[in-house]
Amino acid sequence: MLGKKLVTAQKRGETRALCLGLGMVACSMMMYFFVGITIVPFYTSSVWTTETVCKVLKANIKDKVFCPNSEGSEEEEIFPYPCLQVWVNLTASGQEVMLYQTEDTLERNPKCSYVPDKLENSKEVKAQIETIASNFKKYQTFPCYYDPGGTQTNVILSRLYPSKGLLFAFLWPTLMFTGGCLIIVLVKISQYVSVLSAWQ
């Protein structure tokens, strides 16, 4: 009687462990799919792939511009922000080009090197942009990314999804997939040992 209860409890534990392993594998596949349709296209479509050294030539704050996200809306004139333009000397080619913060900055407003995320407080935004401009004037040389193919003549300060970020995005689903497969293998080994012991 006690042996039957132990066997039943063992089967239940194996079933739960098997379900856990299969669930982890399924979740990892969903995470792979999510990363594949969100991060990977942005990474592969970016042409700024080669890192070089940029030297600041000038960093000026121009007249205020309107928030590009509110274009065509009634709130268009509520969120103007100072337009920071940073021009750098590209070490790889010696050209004078304009610097943008990321790939997204160029799409949002090609006239400005930096587009603030939050535009609620105009004083904070102005102070933030002035701080960024002073930092560029203070630190004259820094790494940047350019397009080796020559499609884009400008450069960016940092990539939205660098290689390390892409690897980190795939790390968690890989660990979950490996853990799920390991649990399934251990359950199958346990079942095989149980059957072999019963047969003997």
Side-chain angles (χ1 to χ4, degrees):
M1 187 69 179
L2 182 59
K4 290 183 178 180
K5 290 183 178 180
L6 289 174
V7 171
T8 304
Q10 183 181 5
K11 288 183 178 180
R12 288 179 180 176
E14 290 176 351
T15 303
R16 292 174 182 175
L18 191 61
C19 290
L20 176 62
L22 292 174
M24 291 176 65
V25 171
C27 288
S28 65
M29 291 300 178
M30 293 177 62
M31 292 173 68
Y32 276 127
F33 177 75
F34 180 76
V35 172
I37 64 173
T38 55
I39 298 179
V40 173
F42 287 103
Y43 175 80
T44 55
S45 62
S46 177
V47 295
W48 295 271
T49 56
T50 305
E51 184 175 351
T52 185
V53 177
C54 289
K55 184 177 181 181
V56 176
L57 296 176
K58 52 185 176 181
N60 301 324
I61 299 178
K62 300 294 183 179
D63 296 334
K64 291 185 177 181
V65 295
F66 296 127
C67 173
N69 290 338
S70 58
E71 187 175 333
S73 64
E74 297 179 356
E75 300 179 352
E76 184 177 356
E77 298 181 357
I78 297 179
F79 299 123
Y81 61 92
C83 182
L84 173 64
Q85 291 183 348
V86 180
W87 293 88
V88 298
N89 183 20
L90 187 61
T91 305
S93 61
Q95 295 179 338
E96 180 180 341
V97 295
M98 189 169 179
L99 175 74
Y100 295 94
Q101 183 185 12
T102 61
E103 300 95 331
D104 185 58
T105 307
L106 179 61
E107 294 181 1
R108 294 177 63 184
N109 191 350
K111 295 181 179 180
C112 304
S113 298
Y114 174 76
V115 177
D117 294 328
K118 297 181 180 180
L119 303 171
E120 287 82 1
N121 193 326
S122 58
K123 293 183 179 179
E124 291 182 0
V125 171
K126 182 180 179 181
Q128 183 183 24
I129 293 178
E130 289 177 351
T131 302
I132 295 173
S134 63
N135 288 335
F136 276 118
K137 294 177 181 179
K138 183 178 180 181
Y139 304 100
Q140 292 286 316
T141 306
F142 50 86
C144 59
Y145 295 90
Y146 75 100
D147 176 19
T151 307
Q152 294 287 344
T153 56
N154 42 57
V155 295
I156 60 174
L157 181 62
S158 59
R159 301 182 65 182
L160 282 175
Y161 300 103
S163 301
K164 292 182 179 179
L166 187 65
L167 292 176
F168 185 77
F170 279 107
L171 175 63
W172 293 112
T174 302
L175 292 176
M176 184 176 291
F177 178 80
T178 304
C181 291
L182 185 61
I183 291 175
I184 294 174
V185 170
L186 291 176
V187 169
K188 292 300 181 180
I189 291 175
S190 176
Q191 290 177 347
Y192 175 76
V193 171
S194 298
V195 173
L196 186 62
S197 300
W199 181 77
Q200 289 179 349

